[in-house]
Amino acid sequence: MTDAGEVPHDVRASLEQLLAAASTAATEGDEPTARAALDTAETVATNKLPAGERRDRVRWGCGAALDALPNGDLAAAYATATAEAVTE
């Protein structure tokens, strides 16, 4: 059984992959791919993370990265920071 504050391994891996893909896509100027990865990461966070500060931070970070597009560098920075919130 996982602690309420723990992120299940599969959820952590999914979020890390999605946020890394979003960061890479944003940096490369591939806005549709970045948007899709960020939308999916936000959905995973909403549905799979336990309620609390971590879920709120991840959802906020995904939204901030989406809002930053088409500025790829800024969106990538938000996605990277959000990935760090997943592992804290």
Side-chain angles (χ1 to χ4, degrees):
M1 180 174 234
T2 52
D3 179 325
E6 276 187 50
V7 177
H9 176 72
D10 59 333
V11 175
R12 179 187 313 263
S14 293
L15 287 170
E16 287 174 345
Q17 288 177 329
L18 287 164
L19 292 165
S23 180
T24 299
T27 300
E28 294 174 352
D30 185 355
E31 189 174 334
T33 300
R35 283 190 183 282
L38 290 165
D39 284 337
T40 303
E42 186 172 18
T43 299
V44 169
T46 299
N47 294 327
K48 300 294 183 180
L49 288 178
E53 184 180 344
R54 178 180 287 130
R55 181 171 72 178
D56 293 344
R57 288 174 55 200
V58 171
R59 292 178 63 210
W60 182 90
C62 290
L66 283 165
D67 289 345
L69 288 168
N71 183 331
D73 291 336
L74 183 57
Y78 276 121
T80 299
T82 302
E84 291 171 6
V86 171
T87 59
E88 288 180 347

